[in-house]
Each structure stands twice: as C-alpha cells, then as structure tokens.
Amino acid sequence: MVTVALFVRLEAKPGKEAEVERFLQSALPIVQEEPATTAWFAIRMSATMFGIFDAFPDEAGRQAHLAGRVAAALMANAAELFAHPPTIEQVDVLVVKLLA
C-alpha cells in the first residue's frame, strides 16, 4: 500500500535535454535498491520539461528517499542540467492501483 508520494518537476536547460534523459535513466538502478520506494516513474512532459513521480508506503519511506543517492545526485547536478532548481512537491496518495 502507498500513502505518500513525491512529484518533482525538472526543466532542462537548452541543449541539456538528452543529458537530463540519461540522468533519469541512470537513476533507476539506484531506486531499485530502495525497499520503501514502491513506484518510481521518470516522465517527459514536453521537449524541455521532465518529471519524477514516486510513491511510498509511509512518511519514513519518503524521507529515506529524499535523503538517498538519487536526491543527492539530482541536487548535485541541478545547476548544470536544469533551467531552475527542481520543484519537489510532497503529496498524499488518495487511491492507488499497482500491478504485481
């Protein structure tokens, strides 16, 4: 069961779109090692706008992810890759359907 999530908006700097895509793809193996990250999606919303949606069973799982390697790498690369600092929204999950 998931109860909380994160929605992160990322706008690539001009010419950095492919690097942002590669960065997001490289994060998957790290996220797969996080037992409390129930679902993780890297998405592209337009030519320059990307996002991450991830869900957790509880607040402890969400905070563990925020203190983890992906979040650290995201912030370490933010000035180089993104037009603006990432927008990280902490949200509650109301209803969910996950396939096994």
Side-chain angles (χ1 to χ4, degrees), residues 48-67:
T48 60
M49 188 62 69
F50 296 82
I52 300 170
F53 178 82
D54 35 14
F56 313 92
D58 53 31
E59 186 60 31
R62 177 163 63 185
Q63 292 306 314
H65 179 73
L66 285 170

Side-chain angles (χ1 to χ4, degrees), residues 8-48:
V8 182
R9 293 175 188 264
L10 309 164
E11 184 177 354
K13 283 185 174 179
K16 297 288 185 175
E17 299 86 355
E19 288 181 56
V20 170
E21 189 171 331
R22 282 191 297 274
F23 172 82
L24 292 171
Q25 291 170 342
S26 73
L28 180 59
I30 298 167
V31 173
Q32 288 175 323
E33 296 175 4
E34 298 178 352
T37 302
T38 304
W40 187 86
F41 299 88
I43 60 175
R44 187 174 203 157
M45 297 176 277
S46 71
T48 60

Side-chain angles (χ1 to χ4, degrees), residues 75-91:
M75 299 316 286
N77 290 288
E80 177 187 341
L81 296 177
F82 307 121
H84 312 284
T87 302
I88 302 172
E89 299 178 48
Q90 296 188 28
V91 299

